[in-house]
Amino acid sequence: MTTIRPRMGVVLPRDLPSPLVLEYARTAERLGFDELWVVEDLGYRGGLVQATAVLGVTTRIRVGIGILPAAVRNVAFAAMEIATLEQLFPGRTDVGIGHGMPGWLRQAGCWPERPLTFLSEYVTALRALLGGAEAGGVRLDPSAVPAAVPPLLLGVRGPRSLALAGQIADGTILAEPVTPEYTAAALESIAPTGEHSVVTYNIGAVDDDPHAAVEAVRPGLEWIGEADWAPHLAPLPFAEEFAALRARCSTREEFVARMPEEWVRLLALAGTPEQVRDRIDELGRAGVTSSLFIPAGPDPMAALTRLAAVL
């Protein structure tokens, strides 16, 4: 069987020092990555502004926004911003939209009463507005309507939200850790009826010494023992052992330090360039269309260059 390798991209670290943000984007393009994704987490940098900035200093690389919490922005004004981005940089942007982290949105006072219904209505209205149609009594001026509606993807986890992605979105963004097993389980819920992108995030490190690569990604996995990440682990053969280890450990740091190296390899993109390429091919066979690295290590610029060895 011929494997179509997923497009390869990188995530722009949310805490990257501001003088390095544009350099990071230019370097990712120069190294040959297909995609660069920005993140919008509460208290860090805004997704739309980051996307605009990096699109402005690059010419080829696709830029993804992952993700915009729907409840944060009025849909009409979100459509204005996204339409402008698509007009200025046509055909280079993927827009990720989701519920957002419930805890963060409650902190900000904007968690909707019916999150799934809200997200469905939001994306439907956004697509209509971007296409020049009316939604909620509003429409964009013809001068502001882009030539094409950019891909709208849902960044979601739960089975009902994944099913919604299959119904109304052009693709789905799966947060780390993403394994072939988790991808297959997610696609069962998504049940796409046509072409549907699957974008995945994974902690990544590449080194000629595979053990060094594993140790580099280990700290980035300390969160995955928490309850929010249970769906990612449920399809794996060691899910019960994984949960038992987390229960025995009093801290995240202890948990990740005691995690067997083989588990780390399966929950990240870590190893030699050949090993990581093979793992990305496995993800591709499971249905992943874009595989994104979250660079591991204290120096994101150096990590970015090492990751390019996979290309």
Side-chain angles (χ1 to χ4, degrees):
M1 182 178 73
T2 301
T3 298
I4 299 176
R5 179 167 290 160
R7 293 166 59 87
M8 294 190 208
V10 289
V11 172
L12 195 156
R14 66 183 185 179
D15 58 352
L16 189 69
S18 57
L20 295 179
V21 168
L22 301 184
E23 180 185 350
Y24 188 97
R26 285 188 290 255
T27 302
E29 180 169 78
R30 176 177 56 79
L31 291 170
F33 286 100
D34 300 307
E35 301 179 6
L36 172 69
W37 283 68
V38 302
V39 297
E40 180 171 277
D41 288 343
L42 182 63
Y44 291 87
R45 298 183 178 112
L48 287 166
V49 174
Q50 288 183 89
T52 304
V54 299
L55 282 161
V57 298
T58 56
T59 59
R60 173 196 57 80
I61 199 167
R62 287 192 69 83
V63 175
I65 306 171
I67 62 171
L68 301 176
V72 171
R73 291 179 178 84
N74 176 281
V75 69
F77 286 89
M80 290 164 57
E81 300 284 0
I82 294 166
T84 302
L85 202 59
E86 180 63 21
Q87 284 189 323
L88 295 177
F89 308 100
R92 291 182 57 204
T93 309
D94 294 308
V95 181
I97 304 161
H99 302 296
M101 297 295 284
W104 288 349
L105 294 193
R106 289 191 177 100
Q107 279 180 264
C110 53
W111 182 249
E113 289 186 13
R114 302 170 63 196
L116 194 65
T117 299
F118 184 90
L119 184 60
S120 176
E121 293 175 349
Y122 189 96
V123 173
T124 301
L126 179 61
R127 189 182 297 280
L129 289 165
L130 291 170
E134 182 271 339
V138 179
R139 69 169 68 235
L140 297 182
D141 186 86
S143 66
V145 176
V149 177
L152 304 180
L153 296 84
L154 292 194
V156 290
R157 280 199 180 109
R160 293 173 63 208
S161 297
L162 289 168
L164 178 65
Q167 296 162 16
I168 68 169
D170 301 303
T172 303
I173 304 165
L174 301 178
E176 73 285 0
V178 181
T179 62
E181 294 88 346
Y182 176 52
T183 303
L187 279 168
E188 284 187 16
S189 294
I190 295 167
T193 56
E195 187 174 342
H196 192 89
S197 300
V198 177
V199 178
T200 59
Y201 292 4
N202 273 306
I203 308 295
V206 174
D207 198 294
D208 290 335
D209 177 355
H211 176 72
V214 166
E215 293 309 303
V217 301
R218 190 181 288 273
L221 295 173
E222 67 176 34
W223 294 91
I224 67 171
E226 308 309 310
D228 283 344
W229 277 261
H232 301 248
L233 285 303
L236 299 176
F238 56 85
E240 291 185 10
E241 297 172 80
F242 184 95
L245 175 62
R246 181 64 187 94
R248 293 195 301 270
C249 297
S250 58
T251 65
R252 296 186 183 112
E253 292 79 8
E254 178 191 0
F255 163 68
V256 78
R258 293 177 58 183
M259 193 185 299
E261 185 166 313
E262 182 57 28
W263 292 5
V264 176
R265 292 183 190 280
L266 295 174
L267 296 171
L269 296 174
T272 65
E274 183 179 17
Q275 288 171 332
V276 173
R277 276 194 294 269
D278 288 346
R279 185 60 170 173
I280 291 173
D281 285 343
E282 288 183 49
L283 291 169
R285 287 191 288 272
V288 171
T289 57
S290 293
S291 177
L292 308 179
F293 292 103
I294 301 172
D299 184 344
M301 297 301 299
L304 180 64
T305 300
R306 287 193 295 271
L307 289 170
V310 174
L311 304 176

